[in-house]
Amino acid sequence: MTMRETDSDQEPYILPDATSIKVHEAMKENVDNLVSLFKVLSDPVRIHILKALRVSELCVCVLVEITDYKHSALSYHLKLLKDAELVDSRRDRNFQIYYLTGPGEKMLRTIESSFQKKM
């Protein structure tokens, strides 16, 4: 058992050894992928792109028209979303068509349901 000191007028907080080991292991886990995902999701433009792609598959040209962002800026955001496997694309003649992946749909649904209650 691991004992942690508290204020002198209180009993010590006792943490079982097995729990202490698990906590230490959790703190040592590699969380780089999770941090990267949160960074991708931290930009409102990318969240808006995900929401738009939930409505329909879209070409970058449509996103440029409805957002007033430059093609290069949207391409950058789409690349980050694609690298995170939240969106994917396919070629249709001269157009690159982007769409929400299964994990992208699930992530957006989870975010909205989790934070909608707090807003």
Side-chain angles (χ1 to χ4, degrees), residues 60 64 67-77:
V60 177
V64 167
T67 63
D68 290 330
Y69 284 99
K70 293 184 180 182
H71 188 281
S72 59
L74 283 169
S75 291
Y76 168 75
H77 290 295

Side-chain angles (χ1 to χ4, degrees), residues 53 57-72 74-75 78 91-98:
L53 293 177
E57 298 179 341
L58 297 170
C59 172
V60 177
C61 58
V62 173
L63 291 168
V64 167
E65 184 179 318
I66 62 176
T67 63
D68 290 330
Y69 284 99
K70 293 184 180 182
H71 188 281
S72 59
L74 283 169
S75 291
L78 286 163
R91 177 99 32 231
D92 184 2
R93 297 177 310 222
N94 292 331
F95 303 101
Q96 194 71 18
I97 307 297
Y98 288 86

